[in-house]
Amino acid sequence: QVQLVESGGGLVQPGGSLKLSCAASGKVVVFNAMGWYRQAPGKQRELVARITSGGKIDYPDSVKGRFTISRDVAKNTVYLQMNSLKPEDTAVYYCNAVLTLPLVPMDYWGKGTLVTVSS
């Protein structure tokens, strides 16, 4: 089965940068979309960035201009470069992958990596 494993989280100061990685393993598959979500305590999980197989990229206004999503198809890996980090970016960041099948859509999630932005 497919597994998504995130890495790169940690503690950074406001204004700092961090790069997250998400590597897919297991069944070889071309995902229709891959992206990043985050969830802070007391808040709902929210989209951070998403990239489709067609190259369409989505960012919410909260991260636009600061975060950049990219992918390495050969390595089946998606990245999230985070710059100018703010305390409100503190959350568990989850990798997500979507596979659209004829009858059943498949939604895969990593276990998350914690990003803490604090001085």
Side-chain angles (χ1 to χ4, degrees):
Q1 57 183 353
V2 174
Q3 288 186 318
L4 302 178
V5 181
E6 304 98 333
S7 62
L11 174 65
V12 296
Q13 293 186 318
S17 297
L18 209 59
K19 187 173 184 177
L20 306 182
S21 298
C22 172
S25 63
K27 181 175 64 178
V28 177
V29 64
V30 178
F31 297 108
N32 298 98
M34 294 188 73
W36 294 89
Y37 288 73
R38 67 185 181 187
Q39 187 167 24
K43 298 181 66 178
Q44 293 187 326
R45 188 172 297 187
E46 64 176 351
L47 174 70
V48 177
R50 179 171 60 187
I51 183 167
T52 71
S53 60
K56 183 177 183 290
I57 297 175
D58 295 313
Y59 302 104
D61 290 340
S62 60
V63 309
K64 192 172 298 182
R66 300 188 298 121
F67 291 10
T68 303
I69 188 170
S70 62
R71 62 180 176 180
D72 186 329
V73 178
K75 294 182 177 180
N76 211 190
T77 301
V78 64
Y79 306 93
L80 183 68
Q81 177 66 51
M82 304 184 293
N83 299 323
S84 302
L85 285 162
K86 305 174 181 179
E88 51 262 45
D89 294 319
T90 296
V92 176
Y93 284 70
Y94 297 91
C95 181
N96 170 250
V98 177
L99 177 63
T100 302
L101 299 175
L103 297 177
V104 182
M106 300 296 292
D107 201 8
Y108 301 94
W109 294 92
K111 294 182 178 180
T113 185
L114 178 63
V115 172
T116 302
V117 185
S118 177
S119 60

